[in-house]
Amino acid sequence: MSARTHPAIGGLLALLLALTGLVALPTPSHAATAVCALACDTLDPSKAQQDTFPVPSRNINGRTLRLHVSDLDDMAWASIDDGVSGDSVWLDRSWDRGATWEPLLGKASIPSTWTGTRTLMYNITDPVGHRRGWVRACGDAAGVACTDWVYPKVCDGTSCDGADPATAAGDDTPVPSTTLYGRTISLHVDQQGGTAWGVIAGGGAGDEIWLDRSWDNGASWPEGSSLGRTSVPSGASSTRTVMFATRDPRGLLYGGAVRACGREASHQEGSCTAWVRPAPTRARAGADALMASYQTNEGWWRSSWWNSAVALTALIDFAEQSGRHDYDWAIARTFEQNRGVFPAGGRSSDPIEGHFISRAIDDAAWWAVAWLTAYDYTGEQRYLDEAVTITDYVHHYWDTGSCGGGVWWNRERTYKNAVTNGLYLWLTTSLHQRIAGDTVWGSRATTAADWYLASGLINSSGLVNDGLTASCANNGQTVWSYNQGLAIGAFTQLWRSTGSGRYLDTAKRLADAAMSSSALTRDGVLTESCDISTASCDDNQKQFKGIFIRHFADLADATGSATYKAYVRKQADSVWATDRDSLNRLGQRWSGTSPNTWDWRTQASALEALTAAARF
């Protein structure tokens, strides 16, 4: 249990502690719950990637107390030196700006004959739990003292807590103001800098204004309550807070939300605006909100295996298009944390057998797409090698003994469908383009293309049905956007490789059909069959449209078609205008119709539309 103070004196006590560094020794009742981010609490400091000293050391009766920080690990540890046997050192960690704290983390005492010791490492922030923490080093050497808390301010590049709103690059009020006893309370945002401040107007002396900041969509805000609280001075009718940042890249916290709150001087109750996330650009707003759901410790978006591969692809596409490197770390993190073996239920309902491979052939193929995209962006050979390993596995299920060819959907060889074969065609073509002197993958690509065109997967209307019957005929099942998109992208890339006009003609025929058919487009907006009326899309279907638009945009780029580019922009415009809330959460229905749903899958899907439109 954390040491606690009475709320009325907590802020004053925290201030006194910061000024003096002296504390009463807290008495813990149990150990703190371990926090895991890039590593878990209690990592040995010998494994730290760096060792910095961001706050001054303290002298305790001749002993030196230091707080050590590794920003690359987002962790800290404490040491005490020049001491004697029995002197001790530990960390305190607070989740509410020093009002309360988890005490005695990693407490260690100097052994006999030694003159110093250190704690183990502990996480400073908790991105998985959407909590921002402060940490300090404390020691007991015939008296107890602590260093200052580290990182009391959030900084996002050059934008830091406490800046004057007069320095803002812009002043936007993205949500309606709220009123209280005739006072107007408004939230102001510098969209470009990702910072915000609050204003109270139409009031009198003693009225108060402040910001709340939340890292979990406004569900809680222990670290960010009453930020910048200030009162209207005598003789004035309004005042404003200083500015506060909404992202903490050092702490791996993204997509922070803020709201403005105020109070009239003679009343205790307050009133707040809606929560807001800034939107420096459309695509960056979408990416920030997506990364707020990333499971930092496990390196994926929890609960959907192949969907995480598609989400990572969307994130890399954003990075490539925008030139921003905010999330480059997540590419390596996802790779390193997930290329091993997992039992059934660990990542998927199926066991993951290493190298992102499972019995679901298309699931593995989506990861190959992600690593080819990562290779293009980073140039790191390991990603290309992984894509080759996965695509070799997929190729093992190419079977000419059934339907004359094609890749099976699963290891049990029960179904030949459009998604698996669209992926195989795109992957083989892409590997041929990236491996110097290749003939093997190029030959497989043209063989797969000839089979696809003759298979019957494309119906007479130029739409791709879901798969083939046991007798190798088009099964007439649902036209899903991702099947259409994969075929458009694969034939576009095959045209780039071979220069054969029939492949480009096929891609354009599929694109034209998608735009003109109500099976995929309604009122100019890409619409899945599960987007209509009261229907709902399952977790897989939530990402189909993003896959489509990624490949459709590739065709638009390849042809330079004004019509295709306009279609891409139409999707992004509709998403932004009708399918977004004040937290920049992007829903399933790009037309914004009800009932609509939001989660990280719909976010990743719509992000592809925003990224694609930014290309044109």
Side-chain angles (χ1 to χ4, degrees), residues 74 99 145 151 243 286 324 375 476 479 497 585 587:
D74 191 30
Y151 302 137
M243 294 196 295
R324 296 191 62 89
Y375 171 71
V479 174
S497 294
R585 295 181 295 192

Side-chain angles (χ1 to χ4, degrees), residues 362-394:
D362 58 334
D363 282 12
W366 288 116
W367 283 105
V369 172
W371 300 129
L372 275 175
T373 308
Y375 171 71
D376 289 345
Y377 177 61
T378 67
E380 291 188 35
Q381 184 66 34
R382 62 175 178 164
Y383 297 136
L384 178 59
D385 293 344
E386 192 69 19
V388 170
T389 297
I390 297 169
T391 311
D392 270 331
Y393 167 73
V394 176

